[in-house]
């Protein structure tokens, strides 16, 4: 076997050899279809010739010699129709219109044959025998004028059935191939009868015989029908590109050629008188035995070679499986292609990258499985590598289906022992992250330099010994020295001479720390200008461990103006300290949210005293099912009102924790306010009992609470309103505080607020409260009582009642409380310990 005939064992998947055989298999199928179309075309020509013989009266076109039976006109039409239909069906792709025309022609041929069979079976004349032409030729006594032979009619019916089945892809291939073989047999009987001068093979009994032209056309039509679908069924066994297909084709040709040839030789010997009939039969049998014994031994030899090749293939498959497993576990993309660009093997990463399965890739070219741009790029790289003949490695950017990626591609040829290239192997490593990191490093360097130069302060970078490595442009403005002249200079040269030793000790002490943290130094630190002037500076010191060295970053800022401002601020320090101390003990910050009682609150300070006022609220968890709510408003503004509010918040919280009813709590707060000079406070205290579904409340001159039940409009929650805190005489009986208990269905929402929300000059406070109720109903209608809905409702209420917050001159407190639709036992989650509370104050 020559080197060109050798098939190299390609590494890759076990299907690599099959993938390599795909082009040859396709070539065999194309050849079989070409044979089928050629046979169908010749059969159609024979039918057309017979029809022309009837039209123009040319006898030689209808039969061979005067002794032969003439081709019937109906048979000629049917053969022409079958030949044309098979020529169409045998194509690899048949359009819907062409398939319909082919089926119509096949149906015509089958109809002609079928009607003729009916005539023979019933003895009736259907009027089709001489429909086209009058039969004026010599005929046998038993022959009806113009009627075709019965074996011809049977063959036409089988041929029509074969074409109809071959044109229907849903039917199995044997439905067309078996009728095709039967048509071949009927035609071969006529040809054998002519070759062996045996008239009995031409006809059935005493009926009319088949014309020689008809027999030849039927053989061709049978071949066309058998090969119309060459990739399936019995034909697929013969067209297989493997060894079994080649062996089958040889055996089939031997069976078709050798027995007829031996029969002809025996008959020729008998006709010449060389031997008698019995001896001729013995010679025929002996010849067949010899021929088929030879074929058997040849097949055994081929089978033995197949076994050896199979054993080698199994070993190669095992090796390929190991190699494929290695490829599949490799994080890189690995592929093998032949010199034409067909993929012979790919790994799992290749499949993931292109989003295609291995079966859709093997045997196909780049352009069949890749986007057009990527396919052209890959093929150009393959050809360039083959032209060089040496491995190539390059870094490039590929646009893959999952997006653009930076890859490192290695291409190298696979060669035979002779040095001839037979395949291309490629390894593609995704380096997108590495390239991105490199780009980011370069960008970081550029950003660092830009940041260094754009910094408003002077920045000095030194090594561990204090030598300046880098400086920005601000150094010249601050110290009067160009940055380029400072390289290698000690940083202590930029401070006054008497202080240099101290600064050096500070720097060394900082670097001796195990983990130096960034620090800022501004005490007794001075810089030295190039003209000899000294100025106070602030120095930020940090360190960076860069590879094998330590770098120190010094940010130097001139703080001359700061020192002047600090001196001015010192005069106001005591006053600021007192204010900050008071605010620290008065304002309590954000309240903690209770998981079983969602709330939303808003506080808007007066523009006259932003952030400081007398409004407050408190949420107090009393026990498992009861929660206390306090909302109050200290009359007045500013720091004094905030201080009173802080005291009241502490007092109300302490009283509520004792569990006393709302009326007694209000009385206690009234006594507390009475001890304060000239203070007036409105307040409302509620106790929500979620197990009893009610609320107990007491109001001291405060605005009514708004309740939004789950099944009705928002309304005011009625309660007896007493005088504000601080009105009653501490020594007299005073006006008593009364409490009331109202039902509170699950799913209700409560709105508590101070007068700053609804009281403005020129408006009726009662109308504003009604606006508040309607807006609350509109905002929460159909919405669950969760924190998000309450937050949105709170924003809507503020936006409706206070359109311009920039000019509002009173403190505003708004608290929305939503009760869950159920009893809450299944939704509270982790319990808050009794006594925990959230307080918002101002």
């Amino acid at each position: 076997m020559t080197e060109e005939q050798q098939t190299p064992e390609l590494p890759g998947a076990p299907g690599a050899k099959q993938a390599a055989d795909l082009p040859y298999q396709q070539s065999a199928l194309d050849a079989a279809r070409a044979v089928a179309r050629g046979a169908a075309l010749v059969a159609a020509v024979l039918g057309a010739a017979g029809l022309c013989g009837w039209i123009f009266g040319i006898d030689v076109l209808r039969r061979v010699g005067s002794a032969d039976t003439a081709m019937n006109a109906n048979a000629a039409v049917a053969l022409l129709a079958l030949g044309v239909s098979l020529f169409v069906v045998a194509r690899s792709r048949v359009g819907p219109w062409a398939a319909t025309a082919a089926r119509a022609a096949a149906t015509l041929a089958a109809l002609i044959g079928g009607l003729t069979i009916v005539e023979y079976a019933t003895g009736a004349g259907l009027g089709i025998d001489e429909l086209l032409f009058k039969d004026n030729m010599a005929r046998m006594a038993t022959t009806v004028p113009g009627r075709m032979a019965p074996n011809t009619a049977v063959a036409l019916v089988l041929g029509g059935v074969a074409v109809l089945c071959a044109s229907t892809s849903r039917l199995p291939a044997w439905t067309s191939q078996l009728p095709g073989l039967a048509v071949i047999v009927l035609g071969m009987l006529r040809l054998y009868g002519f070759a062996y001068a045996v008239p009995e093979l031409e006809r059935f009994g005493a009926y009319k015989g088949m014309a020689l032209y008809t027999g030849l056309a039927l053989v061709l039509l049978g071949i066309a029908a058998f090969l119309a679908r060459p990739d399936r069924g019995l034909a697929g066994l013969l067209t297989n590109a493997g060894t079994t297909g080649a062996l089958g084709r040889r055996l089939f040709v031997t069976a078709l050629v050798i027995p007829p040839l031996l029969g002809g030789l025996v008959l020729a010997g008998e006709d010449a008188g060389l031997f008698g009939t019995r001896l001729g039969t013995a010679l025929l049998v002996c010849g067949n035995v010899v021929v088929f014994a030879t074929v058997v031994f040849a097949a055994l030899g081929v089978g033995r070679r197949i076994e050896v090749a199979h054993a080698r293939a199994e070993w190669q498959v095992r090796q390929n499986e190991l190699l494929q497993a290695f490829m599949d576990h490799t994080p890189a993309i690995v592929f093998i292609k032949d010199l034409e660009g067909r993929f012979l093997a790919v790994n799992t990463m290749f499949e993931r990258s292109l989003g295609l399965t291995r079966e859709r890739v093997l045997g196909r070219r780049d352009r069949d499985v890749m986007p057009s741009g990527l396919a052209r790029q890959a093929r150009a790289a393959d050809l360039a590598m083959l032209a060089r003949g040496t491995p190539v490695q390059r870094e490039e950017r590929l646009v893959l289906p999952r997006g653009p990626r930076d890859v490192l591609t290695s291409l190298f040829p696979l060669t035979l022992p002779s040095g001839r290239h037979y395949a291309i192997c490629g390894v593609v490593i995704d380096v997108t992250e590495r390239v991105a990191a490199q780009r980011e490093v370069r960008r970081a360097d550029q950003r660092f330099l830009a940041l260094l130069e754009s910094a408003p302060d002077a920045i000095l970078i030194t090594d561990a010994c204090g030598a300046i490595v880098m400086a920005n442009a601000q150094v010249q403005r601050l110290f009067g020295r160009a940055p380029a002249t400072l390289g290698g200079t000690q940083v202590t040269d930029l401070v006054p001479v008497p202080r240099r030793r101290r600064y050096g000790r500070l720097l060394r002490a900082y670097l001796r720390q195990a983990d130096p943290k960034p620090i800022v130094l501004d005490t007794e630190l001075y810089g030295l200008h190039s003209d000899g002037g000294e100025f106070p500076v602030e120095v930020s010191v940090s360190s960076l461990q860069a590879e094998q060295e330590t770098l120190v970053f010094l940010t130097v800022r001139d703080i001359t103006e700061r020192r002047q401002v600090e001196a001015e601020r010192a005069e106001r320090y005591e006053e600021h300290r007192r204010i900050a101390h008071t605010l620290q003990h008065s304002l309590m910050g954000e309240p903690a949210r209770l998981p079983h009682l969602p709330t939303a609150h808003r506080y808007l300070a007066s523009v006259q005293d932003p952030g400081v006022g007398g409004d407050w609220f408190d949420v107090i968890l009393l026990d498992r099912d009861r929660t206390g709510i306090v909302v109050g408003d200290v009359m007045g503004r500013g720091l004094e009102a905030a201080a009173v509010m802080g005291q009241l918040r502490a007092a109300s919280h302490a009283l509520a924790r004792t569990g006393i009813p709302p009326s007694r709590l209000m009385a206690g707060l009234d006594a507390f306010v009475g001890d304060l000079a000239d203070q007036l406070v409105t307040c409302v205290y509620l106790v929500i009992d979620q197990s009893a579904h009610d609320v107990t409340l007491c109001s001291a001159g405060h605005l009514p609470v708004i309740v939004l039940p789950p099944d009705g409009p928002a309304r005011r929650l009625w309660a007896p309103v007493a005088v504000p805190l601080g009105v009653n005489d501490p020594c007299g009986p005073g006006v008593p505080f009364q409490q009331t208990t109202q039902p509170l269905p699950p799913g209700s929402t409560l709105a508590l607020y101070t007068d700053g929300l609804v009281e403005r000059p020129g408006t009726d406070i009662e109308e504003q409260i009604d606006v508040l109720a309607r807006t609350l109903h509109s905002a929460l209608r159909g919405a669950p009582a969760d924190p998000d809905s309450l937050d949105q409702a709170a924003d809507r209420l503020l936006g409706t009642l206070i359109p311009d917050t920039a000019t509002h001159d009173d403190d505003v407190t708004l608290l929305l409380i939503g009760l869950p639709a159920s009893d809450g036992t299944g939704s509270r989650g982790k319990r808050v310990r009794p006594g925990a509370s959230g307080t918002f104050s101002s």
Side-chain angles (χ1 to χ4, degrees):
M1 183 178 292
T2 63
E3 178 182 305
E4 289 72 20
Q5 294 172 322
Q6 294 177 358
T7 301
E9 296 292 346
L10 300 178
K17 183 62 171 64
Q18 288 82 342
D21 288 339
L22 287 177
Y24 307 105
Q25 179 68 27
Q26 188 61 43
S27 300
L29 296 178
D30 293 340
R33 291 191 180 97
V35 170
R37 292 196 300 272
L41 183 61
V42 173
V45 170
L46 290 175
L51 189 59
C52 291
W54 282 99
I55 295 174
F56 300 108
I58 303 175
D59 191 52
V60 70
L61 297 178
R62 293 180 288 186
R63 60 184 173 185
V64 180
S66 59
D68 183 27
T69 304
M71 180 187 296
N72 184 268
N74 288 348
V77 173
L79 292 175
L80 176 60
L82 282 177
V84 172
S85 62
L86 277 171
F87 181 80
V88 173
V89 171
R91 297 167 58 189
S92 58
R93 294 182 181 177
V94 183
W97 290 102
T100 302
R103 295 189 186 104
T107 303
L108 174 62
L111 182 61
I112 293 173
L115 292 176
T116 303
I117 294 175
V118 171
E119 287 182 328
Y120 276 113
T122 62
L126 301 179
I128 65 169
D129 298 322
E130 294 184 302
L131 180 63
L132 298 177
F133 301 97
K134 293 294 183 179
D135 188 1
N136 56 2
M137 302 181 67
R139 59 183 72 92
M140 298 174 57
T142 58
T143 303
V144 178
R147 183 174 296 178
M148 70 179 73
N151 50 351
T152 302
V154 172
L156 292 178
V157 173
L158 292 174
V161 171
V163 174
L164 292 175
C165 294
S167 63
T168 305
S169 59
R170 295 188 300 272
L171 295 177
W174 61 265
T175 58
S176 62
Q177 292 170 357
L178 290 182
L181 292 176
V183 172
I184 293 175
V185 171
L186 291 174
M188 290 296 295
L189 288 176
R190 178 62 183 91
L191 297 182
Y192 287 160
F194 173 76
Y196 297 153
V198 181
E200 290 80 7
L201 296 178
E202 302 175 11
R203 61 178 58 87
F204 292 159
Y207 294 103
K208 180 180 179 180
M210 181 188 296
L212 183 60
Y213 286 149
T214 302
L216 179 59
L218 290 176
V219 171
L220 295 174
L221 289 175
I223 293 173
F226 183 76
L227 296 178
R229 298 166 73 176
D231 56 336
R232 302 179 184 177
L234 301 175
L237 298 177
L238 295 178
T239 58
N240 179 25
T243 307
T244 56
L247 180 60
R249 289 191 292 271
R250 293 175 185 176
L251 293 177
F252 192 74
V253 171
T254 302
L256 290 179
V257 174
I258 298 302
L261 182 59
L262 291 177
L265 293 177
V266 170
L267 290 178
E270 291 178 354
D271 292 341
L274 298 178
F275 42 80
T277 303
R278 297 180 66 84
L279 179 58
T281 302
L283 292 175
L284 178 61
V285 172
C286 182
N288 283 321
V289 169
V290 171
V291 170
F292 283 101
T294 303
V295 171
V296 168
F297 282 110
L300 291 175
V302 173
R304 178 57 182 166
R305 289 196 296 273
I306 292 176
E307 290 178 353
V308 174
H310 181 70
R312 293 177 179 173
E314 286 184 344
W315 181 86
Q316 186 63 42
V317 165
R318 288 194 295 270
Q319 300 303 312
N320 290 343
E321 288 175 348
L322 293 175
L323 183 55
Q324 184 67 43
F326 169 76
M327 291 170 55
D328 287 338
H329 288 83
T330 300
I333 298 173
V334 183
F335 60 84
I336 300 174
K337 296 186 283 189
D338 63 13
L339 300 184
E340 299 299 324
R342 298 184 185 90
F343 285 98
L344 304 179
V346 297
N347 69 339
T348 303
M349 187 57 67
F350 185 99
E351 297 178 273
R352 294 176 183 171
S353 300
L354 289 184
L356 298 173
T357 61
R358 193 166 303 173
E359 291 73 16
R360 295 182 58 187
V361 174
L362 296 181
R364 291 178 172 84
R365 293 183 172 88
D366 296 320
R367 62 174 180 268
D368 299 327
V369 298
M370 296 181 180
S372 57
L374 181 60
R376 288 193 299 269
Q377 185 178 355
R379 188 57 183 162
D382 294 344
L383 295 176
M385 186 276 296
L386 291 174
R388 292 183 53 180
T390 57
V392 174
Q393 188 177 71
R394 66 184 183 281
E395 189 173 300
E396 57 187 341
R397 189 170 183 82
L398 300 180
V399 181
L400 299 176
R402 59 176 180 170
R405 310 294 293 177
D406 294 296
V407 298
L408 180 63
T409 303
S410 299
L411 294 176
F412 53 90
L414 301 179
T415 59
L416 294 170
S418 62
R420 185 175 66 88
H421 303 325
Y422 68 86
I424 303 168
C425 185
V427 179
V428 182
I429 302 175
D430 191 338
V431 295
T432 304
E433 287 73 15
R434 189 188 72 185
V435 172
Q438 293 174 347
R439 294 195 188 109
E440 186 59 32
V441 168
R442 289 193 293 269
R443 286 195 293 267
D445 291 342
Q446 295 172 357
R447 288 195 297 266
F448 173 74
L449 293 177
L451 178 64
L452 192 68
E453 294 300 330
S454 61
D457 300 323
I459 298 179
L460 299 166
I461 303 177
T462 73
D463 58 16
C465 298
I468 298 175
V469 177
M470 184 180 298
N472 67 347
Q474 300 299 330
V475 170
Q476 185 168 6
R477 178 188 60 81
L478 193 63
F479 295 98
R481 300 180 61 176
T485 63
L486 294 177
T489 304
Q490 290 293 317
V491 69
T492 53
D493 292 346
L494 300 178
V495 299
V497 175
R499 305 176 185 270
R500 290 180 182 176
R501 180 175 297 179
R502 175 174 175 267
Y503 288 3
R505 290 197 301 267
L506 289 175
L507 181 60
R508 288 191 295 271
Y510 173 78
L511 293 177
R512 280 197 300 268
Q513 299 179 34
D515 185 17
K517 303 294 183 182
I519 60 172
V520 178
L521 304 175
D522 61 355
T523 304
E524 296 298 323
L525 295 181
Y526 292 87
L528 178 65
H529 198 270
S530 59
D531 59 5
E534 299 183 6
F535 53 92
V537 297
E538 174 191 87
V539 181
S540 300
V541 186
S542 61
S543 64
L544 172 66
Q545 188 67 33
E547 295 180 355
Q548 301 298 325
E549 61 177 344
T550 300
L551 298 179
V552 180
F553 289 79
L554 302 173
T555 302
V556 184
R557 175 179 298 177
D558 187 346
I559 57 174
T560 302
E561 295 181 1
R562 185 197 299 178
R563 295 297 188 209
Q564 297 173 355
V565 172
E566 288 175 352
E568 297 175 359
R569 289 178 178 175
E571 299 176 1
R572 300 191 298 271
Y573 173 73
E574 287 300 324
E575 180 182 2
H576 289 176
R577 187 188 64 80
R578 181 180 63 81
I579 294 174
H581 181 77
T582 304
L583 291 176
Q584 178 182 356
H585 288 80
S586 300
L587 304 180
M588 304 304 294
E590 284 285 330
R593 295 183 182 272
L594 301 179
H596 63 281
L597 196 66
T599 62
H601 66 271
R602 295 292 184 272
Y603 172 73
L604 183 66
S606 169
V607 295
Q608 298 181 8
D609 298 283
V612 180
D615 290 1
W616 93 94
F617 75 83
D618 200 352
V619 180
I620 309 163
L621 183 63
L622 302 177
D623 56 27
R624 177 182 179 85
D625 297 306
R626 298 191 310 136
T627 305
I629 308 294
V630 180
V631 175
D633 183 5
V634 178
M635 300 303 175
R637 299 189 182 93
L639 186 61
E640 183 178 357
V644 173
M645 175 273 297
Q647 298 177 59
L648 286 175
R649 186 214 63 81
S652 63
H653 188 88
L655 290 173
R657 285 295 309 281
T658 64
I660 63 176
S663 58
R664 292 183 57 192
L665 181 141
M666 207 63 69
L669 290 180
D670 183 56
F672 182 86
V673 175
D675 294 337
L676 302 176
D678 300 326
Q679 295 294 332
L680 193 64
V681 180
T682 65
C683 181
V684 62
Y685 176 56
L686 299 82
V687 175
I688 299 173
D689 192 335
Q690 290 183 247
S691 62
H693 304 306
D694 60 28
V695 57
T696 302
L697 69 159
C698 182
S699 175
H702 203 77
L703 297 171
V705 178
I706 304 298
V707 59
L708 175 63
D711 55 352
R715 58 180 174 82
R716 306 183 189 190
L717 190 64
W718 181 87
V721 180
V723 297
L725 303 178
V727 173
N728 287 327
D729 185 359
C731 300
V735 179
F737 295 95
Q738 300 178 3
Q739 67 182 37
T740 182
T741 300
Q742 301 288 339
L744 192 63
S748 300
T749 301
L750 296 176
L752 295 89
Y753 50 95
T754 57
D755 58 359
L757 183 64
V758 295
E759 185 179 25
R760 289 197 304 276
T763 62
D764 187 348
I765 190 171
E766 296 295 326
E767 293 181 358
Q768 290 296 99
I769 294 175
D770 292 338
V771 172
L772 170 63
R774 290 194 298 269
T775 306
L776 179 65
H777 179 264
S778 175
L780 291 177
R781 181 173 51 194
D786 55 25
D788 293 337
S789 300
L790 295 178
D791 273 334
Q792 295 175 8
D795 291 336
R796 184 170 175 180
L797 290 172
L798 283 182
T800 302
L801 294 169
I802 308 177
D804 187 7
T805 58
T807 60
H808 196 65
D809 61 349
D810 196 4
D811 301 331
V812 175
T813 295
L814 173 64
L815 173 63
L816 298 180
I817 304 169
L819 274 70
S822 63
D823 59 3
T825 58
S827 60
R828 293 186 183 183
K830 182 178 179 181
R831 279 289 179 187
V832 179
R833 60 179 177 82
S837 67
T839 302
F840 178 86
S841 58
S842 61

